[in-house]
Amino acid sequence: PLLELTVSMDVAESYRMAGANREAAAAFEEAFTRLAELGRGETEKAGTLLNNWGLALHILGRPLEAERLFRRAVAVSSVDGTEQSVSPMLLNNLGRALRELHRLPEAADYCERAYEKAQRIGNDPVICQSLNVRTTIYRLAGDLDRAAATLTELESTWKRIVPAGHIAFGAMASQRALLSLARGDAAGALAEIERAIAIAE
């Protein structure tokens, strides 16, 4: 039964990776029900499943449900009552969901903790994801200087780990466009978003 469950989790994750998030969410829900029935609803495997299920729901535009799953995954991972064993990626995913719910101070707190943890272990992908989410949080909160500084750090990190022309630079140009718009610079925003589109194409 456990091997069958592992396969069903792999199928659900394959749906998610292929962009079929509706099918992924349904498959994750079914897999979690089976996992709980086996008495493994509080295991590391359960935490991974909850995180990936939450990601699928987040992409589907269901951040409130995603937040609940991420929080449950954090609780499962906090076996000693602390966040010591909680992955920085999971903390950042929770922060991202909270950003979508416009709970900005709480979102910033989770993403900043994710960043600090990722820095300590040298996890560049999570560092970049955290910086990207934090840029948006600070911009939405009206702290435009902090958003700009965070975006500059993100660009510097991406330049170190991905090749020129990578889609990540399109995402950064899009962030710069939104930041320019927040500052009232429509012409600068247009130039940046056109650059983002060119990179994406």
Side-chain angles (χ1 to χ4, degrees):
L2 191 57
L3 181 57
E4 288 178 357
L5 177 62
T6 300
V7 171
S8 69
M9 286 175 62
D10 289 343
V11 169
E13 181 63 0
S14 296
Y15 277 134
R16 188 180 75 81
M17 295 302 290
N21 288 290
R22 194 173 307 282
E23 292 84 351
F28 279 127
E29 184 172 13
E30 182 181 343
F32 188 78
T33 299
R34 292 170 62 192
L35 190 68
E37 287 169 353
L38 290 172
R40 295 174 178 266
E42 302 296 323
T43 61
E44 184 178 345
K45 187 182 285 287
T48 299
L49 193 159
L50 289 164
N51 176 72
N52 294 346
W53 182 10
L55 288 171
L57 291 175
H58 177 80
I59 296 295
L60 288 171
R62 295 158 62 181
L64 192 60
E65 295 167 81
E67 182 220 354
R68 291 192 198 107
L69 294 177
F70 291 139
R71 284 197 187 279
R72 191 162 176 187
V74 167
V76 167
S77 299
S78 304
V79 288
D80 59 354
T82 73
E83 290 180 356
Q84 186 67 32
S85 55
V86 179
S87 78
M89 182 69 84
L90 176 54
L91 293 175
N92 198 64
N93 289 341
L94 176 53
R96 185 186 291 119
L98 290 166
R99 178 201 65 193
E100 292 300 309
L101 295 169
H102 293 273
R103 289 158 59 182
L104 300 180
E106 193 178 1
D109 181 54
Y110 274 103
C111 291
E112 286 160 6
R113 295 209 307 270
Y115 172 82
E116 289 165 8
K117 264 192 124 169
Q119 281 260 333
R120 284 197 299 272
I121 62 176
N123 189 326
D124 285 330
V126 177
I127 289 170
C128 290
Q129 288 192 33
S130 169
L131 289 167
N132 189 47
V133 178
R134 286 167 54 206
T135 296
T136 302
I137 291 168
Y138 300 149
R139 176 176 51 78
L140 291 173
D143 193 346
L144 303 185
D145 289 342
R146 193 172 186 190
T150 305
L151 188 55
T152 297
E153 183 181 351
L154 174 60
E155 185 170 24
S156 173
T157 307
W158 274 126
K159 282 181 176 176
R160 181 171 51 81
I161 65 174
V162 299
H166 191 281
I167 189 64
F169 295 107
M172 281 189 298
S174 180
Q175 284 276 28
R176 288 202 186 284
L178 292 168
L179 194 52
S180 294
L181 202 58
R183 287 180 162 150
D185 179 9
L190 181 60
E192 287 289 351
I193 203 64
E194 285 177 342
R195 191 162 73 87
I197 291 167
I199 293 170
E201 288 177 341

